[in-house]
């Protein structure tokens, strides 16, 4: 004899309690640079000088222009000061997520990569090699009216960082859902979010740090003035 819907519901209600979990969250830190008033204006001036034909090459992609060369080497002391702060924020970000020091997290990752759980690779207190977040590459992007950057990610990068130097209004960034199969089939009722993009609206002086594998895009820029941002590819260095 078939069991009715009511009987099924009653049976479920009298059984063990179910647990619903939300899995695979994506971490992101958003923070305002406390010294933006001191750093952003001179940094923007150097970037725009180069962008407008000053010393040093730029790349014109058609959808934006981007500086060449390591930004921390040519953009003056403000760029170096900002980069040091960005690396410190990124390090604290990782330590907050892992609930361990960078050295401990790095040692655990090394053991996992080697396929061992041997704790002998851990060095005792005071002997563990120093681990920090360092800059692999840094550059500035200049957006004018109509410019945009399609969805992309940064290969071979542990963390991506973006700092908004100057803009006439809000600085928008789209973050794409990192679960590729979300778009594969529309089941009618969404369990994973109705929109597969999250749009952040930031202000000049704000920094974003997120995993390097997270796809992101810059929507079409609207405004008569320019929008200037700086980006970093960050990785861990030891020793």
């Amino acid at each position: 004899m078939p069991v009715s819907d009511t009987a099924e519901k009653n049976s479920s209600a009298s059984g063990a309690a179910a647990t619903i979990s939300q899995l695979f969250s994506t971490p992101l830190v958003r923070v305002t640079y406390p010294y933006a008033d001191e750093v952003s204006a001179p940094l923007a001036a150097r970037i725009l000088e180069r962008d407008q034909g000053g010393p040093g090459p730029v790349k014109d992609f058609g959808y934006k222009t981007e500086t060449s060369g390591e930004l921390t080497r040519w953009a003056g002391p403000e760029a170096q000061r900002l980069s040091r702060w960005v690396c410190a924020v990124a390090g604290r970000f990782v330590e907050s997520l892992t609930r361990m020091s960078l050295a401990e997290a790095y040692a655990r990752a090394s053991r996992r990569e080697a396929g061992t759980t041997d704790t002998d690779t851990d060095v005792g207190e005071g002997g563990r090699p120093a681990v920090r977040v360092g800059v692999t590459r840094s550059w500035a992007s200049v957006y004018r009216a109509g410019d945009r950057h399609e969805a992309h990610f940064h290969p071979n990068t542990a963390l991506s960082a973006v700092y908004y130097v100057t803009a006439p209004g809000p600085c928008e960034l789209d973050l794409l859902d990192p679960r590729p199969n979300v778009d594969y089939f529309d089941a009618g009722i969404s369990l994973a979010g109705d929109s597969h993009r999250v749009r952040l609206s930031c202000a000049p002086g704000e920094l974003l740090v997120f995993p390097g594998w997270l796809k992101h895009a810059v929507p079409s820029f609207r405004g008569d003035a320019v929008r200037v941002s700086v980006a970093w590819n960050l990785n861990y260095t030891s020793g």
Side-chain angles (χ1 to χ4, degrees):
M1 182 175 181
V3 180
S4 68
D5 289 344
T6 302
E8 287 280 5
K9 291 176 182 178
N10 291 338
S11 175
S12 297
S14 62
T19 299
I20 298 177
S21 300
Q22 294 284 353
L23 305 178
F24 306 117
S25 61
T26 301
L28 176 143
V29 65
R30 178 175 177 176
V31 60
T32 299
Y33 184 36
Y35 302 104
D37 292 342
E38 301 174 17
V39 168
S40 291
L43 181 58
R46 288 192 182 92
I47 292 169
L48 291 174
E49 179 187 15
R50 176 169 288 216
D51 180 74
Q52 294 165 7
V58 295
K59 304 172 186 176
D60 188 347
F61 293 108
Y63 53 83
K64 72 166 187 176
T65 57
E66 184 178 292
T67 60
S68 296
E70 183 59 44
L71 180 127
T72 56
R73 295 176 184 166
W74 61 259
E78 289 81 11
Q80 296 174 9
R81 181 182 179 186
L82 177 61
S83 293
R84 286 194 297 268
W85 177 75
V86 169
C87 289
V89 169
R92 292 195 296 270
F93 173 51
V94 174
E95 289 177 339
S96 296
L97 290 171
T98 61
R99 298 184 180 181
M100 61 183 68
S101 70
L102 283 176
E104 292 169 326
Y106 194 80
R108 174 176 289 186
S110 298
R111 292 197 304 271
R112 185 174 63 245
E113 185 176 354
T116 177
T117 57
D118 185 5
T119 58
D120 290 342
T121 56
D122 282 346
V123 182
E125 184 176 354
R128 181 175 285 124
V131 176
R132 61 183 178 84
V133 175
V135 177
T136 304
R137 180 172 173 251
S138 60
W139 66 97
S141 297
V142 179
Y143 292 85
R144 294 175 172 82
D147 286 354
R148 57 184 297 166
H149 197 163
E150 293 297 331
H152 64 285
F153 69 100
H154 298 182
N156 302 316
T157 298
L159 298 168
S160 294
V162 181
Y163 176 76
Y164 297 103
V165 183
T166 185
C171 306
E172 295 181 327
L173 184 71
D174 288 349
L175 303 175
L176 280 65
D177 195 324
R179 301 164 296 179
N181 291 337
V182 167
D183 288 326
Y184 184 71
F185 174 70
D186 184 357
I189 297 176
S190 176
L191 302 179
D194 293 328
S195 174
H196 306 321
R197 291 191 180 210
V198 174
R199 177 163 294 179
L200 301 182
S201 182
C202 301
E206 283 194 284
L207 171 74
L208 300 175
V209 181
F210 48 88
W213 46 256
L214 181 62
K215 277 193 173 182
H216 51 285
V218 179
S220 183
F221 173 67
R222 300 178 298 276
D224 296 330
V226 296
R227 164 181 156 174
V228 178
S229 60
V230 174
W232 294 262
N233 288 346
L234 305 173
N235 281 298
Y236 309 116
T237 62
S238 63

